[in-house]
Amino acid sequence: MTRLDTDAEELIGPAECDGPRALVLEAREVPLGGVRGMHVTRVLPHRDLPMVGAWCFLDRFGPQDALMRVEPHPHIGLQTVTWPYVGEVRHRDSLASDVVVRRGQLNLMTSGAGISHSEYSVGNGPVPLDALQLWVALPESARHGAPGFEQHEKLPELALSSPEGGAAGEATVVLGELAEVSSPATVYTPIVGAELRLAPRATARIRLRAEWEHALLGVVGDAVAHTGIDGGEHDVAAERFLYLGIGRDHVDITASDQGALVFLIGGEPFPDEIVMWWNFVARTHDEIVEAREDWESGSARFGHVTGHGDERIPAPPLPAVRLTARRRRI
Ligand code: MN
């Protein structure tokens, strides 16, 4: 994924949440480089909530028919998590990876100090596509390191139970750890990313770590989270994003008659202030300037994406002001 909306504020501050919350945040429509008319909704970064744990970016592209052609572009300081629902995406990168990812599989790309990649839909015409792409900020210990790419075709699942112990659905642990079940994907901070599939009319009790902050994104169907705040129930229907704050050891979610699919993100509050601009996650304005210059000059830092010639997405101009960290407002 690459970004065109660089005029937007991209100044990210540290987590400061001190207790449970139940805040519904609006997703926004955004333009996406190289894809004409593609429906993309962005949940993170939100103007009031820059991060949830180390999660600093959350897009849903689709559902729709589209020809996806995201040409080679760079990343620093992050991991990209691609989790498709419908359709197939071909990923190529500067480590000579060339793979197709589809439903049930995870693509995880770790930029370290620098990587570049492209993302295409399969075929030469519009095809049905629907996927999540998320970014995870790398901690200081990993952000200067080597890039990496991994694809996981089989991820661990666990049964979801109701508060009374009955069957309520299943979950797939995409990244990190949920209820003592761990994904094999490489992570650098305490974190969870999990798909929750609730059976029709079931209530699932999702075990959480009280020292982490969490949020829910509705993907398919209707569901309600029992938050205990402001009347106690909050909608997590498709495209609704509900921030749960910190200090919870569980959340109960009830699905409608059709069942529901909800994506859970969470993790330990991120310790650093980060500065985020275009496809870069850094700590200072000067690091962003240097990464931009390295991309524009064709530096070896970002390599060459396998299977591509000269095509690449140029960096947008920097804003006139110095980039600084922004703190959350909720
Ligand atoms: Mn990308």
Side-chain angles (χ1 to χ4, degrees):
M1 198 64 60
T2 186
R3 307 184 60 181
L4 288 182
D5 61 323
T6 50
D7 290 338
E9 295 173 87
E10 305 303 346
L11 313 174
I12 310 301
E16 290 180 343
C17 189
D18 60 0
R21 301 280 190 275
L23 297 167
V24 176
L25 301 178
E26 296 300 319
R28 58 197 165 100
E29 298 270 334
V30 291
L32 177 66
V35 184
R36 284 186 198 84
M38 196 155 181
H39 174 72
V40 178
T41 49
R42 179 153 304 148
V43 176
L44 290 177
H46 187 278
R47 63 186 163 81
D48 294 328
L49 182 71
M51 302 177 80
V52 177
W55 299 100
C56 61
F57 180 94
L58 171 49
D59 263 4
R60 181 177 184 179
F61 53 101
Q64 66 186 330
D65 286 0
L67 174 66
M68 184 181 194
R69 290 289 182 269
V70 182
E71 301 294 355
H73 60 276
H75 288 286
I76 69 167
L78 56 78
Q79 294 177 292
T80 65
V81 173
T82 305
W83 183 246
Y85 290 109
V86 176
E88 299 175 334
V89 176
R90 182 183 183 187
H91 162 96
R92 287 174 283 180
D93 65 34
S94 51
L95 302 173
S97 310
D98 185 352
V99 299
V100 171
V101 63
R102 56 183 64 86
R103 174 75 177 134
Q105 301 176 342
L106 165 68
N107 269 10
L108 178 66
M109 184 177 80
T110 302
S111 75
I115 197 168
S116 56
H117 75 139
S118 69
E119 294 158 296
Y120 280 28
S121 51
V122 174
N124 294 315
V127 292
L129 286 177
D130 189 12
L132 299 183
Q133 187 170 97
L134 308 99
W135 296 353
V136 178
L138 289 172
E140 192 62 32
S141 59
R143 73 188 189 95
H144 305 289
F149 177 80
E150 53 199 79
Q151 184 176 76
H152 296 274
E153 297 187 7
K154 184 73 183 149
L155 291 163
E157 303 204 338
L158 62 122
L160 297 178
S161 301
S162 70
E164 297 76 30
E170 309 89 39
T172 300
V173 185
V174 179
L175 208 69
E177 181 255 313
L178 176 66
E180 289 153 23
V181 175
S182 294
S183 166
T186 304
V187 293
Y188 297 92
T189 50
I191 196 166
V192 60
E195 178 178 292
L196 314 175
R197 296 180 297 279
L198 277 68
R201 295 178 298 284
T203 296
R205 174 155 292 185
I206 311 300
R207 290 168 56 191
L208 305 176
R209 288 186 173 233
E211 68 274 26
W212 293 1
E213 56 179 341
H214 294 89
L216 299 169
L217 176 68
V219 180
V220 179
D222 291 322
V224 168
H226 304 271
T227 61
I229 294 175
D230 295 340
E233 291 192 351
H234 287 85
D235 185 4
V236 281
E239 309 224 333
R240 300 276 282 190
F241 185 68
L242 178 65
Y243 178 62
L244 294 170
I246 199 167
R248 297 176 183 274
D249 63 9
H250 72 275
V251 63
D252 292 344
I253 308 172
T254 301
S256 69
D257 291 350
Q258 286 74 46
L261 195 158
V262 174
F263 201 89
L264 166 72
I265 62 172
E268 189 172 277
F270 198 71
D272 297 349
E273 294 197 349
I274 67 174
V275 177
M276 188 166 158
W277 179 82
W278 194 38
N279 300 313
F280 303 143
V281 173
R283 299 294 183 274
T284 65
H285 174 87
D286 292 342
E287 288 179 1
I288 297 280
V289 171
E290 184 179 13
R292 184 185 180 282
E293 287 174 354
D294 286 345
W295 176 246
E296 291 301 281
S297 68
S299 159
R301 175 179 184 176
F302 295 110
H304 183 83
V305 181
T306 190
H308 285 274
D310 294 336
E311 63 270 28
R312 69 207 311 266
I313 299 177
L318 281 164
V321 296
R322 280 184 73 82
L323 299 162
T324 55
R326 188 186 78 195
R327 305 173 84 91
R328 71 169 64 208
R329 300 198 290 195
I330 57 176

